[in-house]
Amino acid sequence: MAVFQHTVEEPLNREPSSTKLVENYVTEKIGYDRNHGPIPVIDGESHRVTIDGAVRSTLSLSVADLQALPQHTVVCALQCAGNRRHTMRTKLHEVQGVDWFDAAVMNCEWTGPRLRDVLLKAGVSLDEKKWKDAHAAFACYTAPTENSSWYGGSIPLDRAMRDDADVILAVQMNGETLSPNHGYPVRVIVPGIAGARSVKWVERVTVQMTESENYYQKYDYKVLPPDIDSKEAAEEVWDKVPALMGMPVNSAIGVPTKGSRVERDRDGHVLVKGYALPGCDSGPITKVEVSGDDGKTWQQATILDQDKFSTEPSKFKWAWCLWEAHVRMQPSTGKKLLSRATDQGGNQQQETCEWNLRGVAYNGYGETDEIEVV
Ligand SMILES: Nc1nc2c(c(=O)[nH]1)N[C@H]1C(S)=C(S)[C@@H](COP(=O)(O)O)O[C@H]1N2
Ligand SMILES: [Mo]
């Protein structure tokens, strides 16, 4: 009998304040939790991951087997597709989903074998030409979810097999054994891709020609067209809209917080801090700008530790950056601050993005308002 924390009725969904989130480059302890059901407390000694489907030999791997493969560490942002949903519903139009603010994201160091090495060990039996149309499907059967008896998701097989896409079966987070809420004993980490595909407590990886049949792959986590404005209308199109994969370039402001009173420094500047996330495969972030006049003028923010991004771009390709700016402002009330990020691929955040019913992948300008400047 598995032991569970929380329930299907009340799963653990929480995020820190954005101010707290941007205090540290590596997110420790305060990372957001997103669960569609209870958290299983699994015995890591007896846990197995089955590798099956279009492979030459079906494998049943223990955690020790996974640790015996070459270990790879990746620094990446893991982000719920619904991050910043609150801004979409308040600025654009009501949406359906958990009311996430700007902190359903965390930047961590994950360690484990590359999924590619695990699949090569099993021997993918599909011709390489078919990899782009095939899928690596992940499943966790132990914990039920709100909409199904299990949780799963999939990614295109060619991404799983790319040696530069850094997809791993993580057994460690920030140098420590995973905690139950973040997937102990092993979870998938797919950098750049919506968090929903980074399946926790993973038990099975299947190479197959169809995407995962799981509810959360087929009937959730999709950017529905803007004319789909009800659950009923969505029923008609779930099958026609692709599953959300890559997340868009984004940024958010952690300091100052909405409604706060900020003191200017001696030169009349206000300190603004935040994070920025590159678009899917287009990292790292190359520029962040801030505006204190509703977007009429922009000034460049300082990307903290920018050296490491420019000297080791491939290491930080999937990571966020933290930034800060000193913005000149006059004493006043009801002020707004905006942020916008640009990544290596040239993707730049726009003022707003198109509305979608589930409020996923929102990436309009980062924003904080009702600021009193003194
Ligand atoms: N088995 C399982 N894996 C899961 C989920 C889940 O509910 N069950 N939630 C997914 C979603 S929607 C997100 S955003 C991330 C959240 O990971 P975290 O809780 O470690 O932050 O895990 C993903 N993996
Ligand atoms: Mo999510």
Side-chain angles (χ1 to χ4, degrees), residues 127-155:
D127 191 81
E128 210 171 319
K129 280 194 233 84
K130 288 196 174 154
W131 289 3
K132 67 173 184 2
D133 301 316
H135 305 262
F138 315 118
C140 163
Y141 302 106
T142 303
T145 57
E146 291 151 319
N147 299 91
S148 174
S149 62
W150 59 294
Y151 188 89
S154 59
I155 58 168

Side-chain angles (χ1 to χ4, degrees), residues 284-285 302-316 321-322:
I285 285 289
T302 304
I303 293 177
L304 305 181
D305 301 317
Q306 181 148 35
D307 289 0
K308 68 182 179 206
F309 296 101
S310 37
T311 49
E312 285 186 282
S314 61
K315 180 163 180 205
F316 294 99
C321 76
L322 296 181

Side-chain angles (χ1 to χ4, degrees), residues 32-36 78 80 106 140 151 181-182 187 195-196 198-201 221:
Y32 80 103
D33 291 281
R34 176 56 172 132
N35 295 289
H36 288 282
L78 178 70
C80 184
M106 57 182 165
C140 163
Y151 188 89
N181 54 326
H182 294 307
R187 80 176 299 169
S198 288
V199 175
K200 298 188 274 192
W201 318 293
Y221 294 114

Side-chain angles (χ1 to χ4, degrees), residues 218-231:
K218 303 200 77 168
Y219 308 107
D220 199 351
Y221 294 114
K222 295 190 176 190
V223 180
L224 295 169
D227 60 312
I228 301 299
D229 59 2
S230 69
K231 226 178 158 160

Side-chain angles (χ1 to χ4, degrees), residues 100-274:
W100 295 111
F101 285 76
D102 293 346
V105 56
M106 57 182 165
N107 193 65
C108 300
E109 227 180 68
W110 304 93
T111 304
R114 289 177 187 275
L115 176 58
R116 169 189 161 82
D117 290 340
V118 173
L119 293 178
L120 288 175
K121 189 177 161 82
V124 174
S125 59
L126 294 172
D127 191 81
E128 210 171 319
K129 280 194 233 84
K130 288 196 174 154
W131 289 3
K132 67 173 184 2
D133 301 316
H135 305 262
F138 315 118
C140 163
Y141 302 106
T142 303
T145 57
E146 291 151 319
N147 299 91
S148 174
S149 62
W150 59 294
Y151 188 89
S154 59
I155 58 168
L157 181 63
D158 58 352
R159 175 169 284 274
M161 296 304 289
R162 255 171 60 188
D163 51 14
D164 64 348
D166 293 336
V167 182
I168 63 172
L169 297 186
V171 292
Q172 283 191 349
M173 174 180 171
N174 300 334
E176 285 174 25
T177 304
L178 295 176
S179 55
N181 54 326
H182 294 307
Y184 178 80
V186 52
R187 80 176 299 169
V188 183
I189 286 292
V190 193
I193 302 292
R197 318 300 169 215
S198 288
V199 175
K200 298 188 274 192
W201 318 293
V202 65
E203 292 173 64
R204 187 175 174 198
V205 178
T206 307
V207 176
Q208 55 189 48
M209 290 311 296
T210 51
E211 65 173 355
S212 169
E213 286 298 314
N214 189 260
Y215 180 91
Y216 299 95
Q217 181 86 11
K218 303 200 77 168
Y219 308 107
D220 199 351
Y221 294 114
K222 295 190 176 190
V223 180
L224 295 169
D227 60 312
I228 301 299
D229 59 2
S230 69
K231 226 178 158 160
E232 295 67 38
E235 298 301 336
E236 307 292 314
V237 298
W238 281 121
D239 274 354
K240 301 181 182 74
V241 178
L244 175 59
M245 289 288 153
M247 293 297 287
V249 65
N250 218 333
S251 74
I253 297 174
V255 175
T257 51
K258 183 184 175 80
S260 60
R261 183 168 185 270
V262 289
E263 257 177 64
R264 301 184 311 153
D265 64 14
R266 259 192 251 126
D267 304 320
H269 293 129
V270 163
L271 174 64
V272 186
K273 288 164 61 163

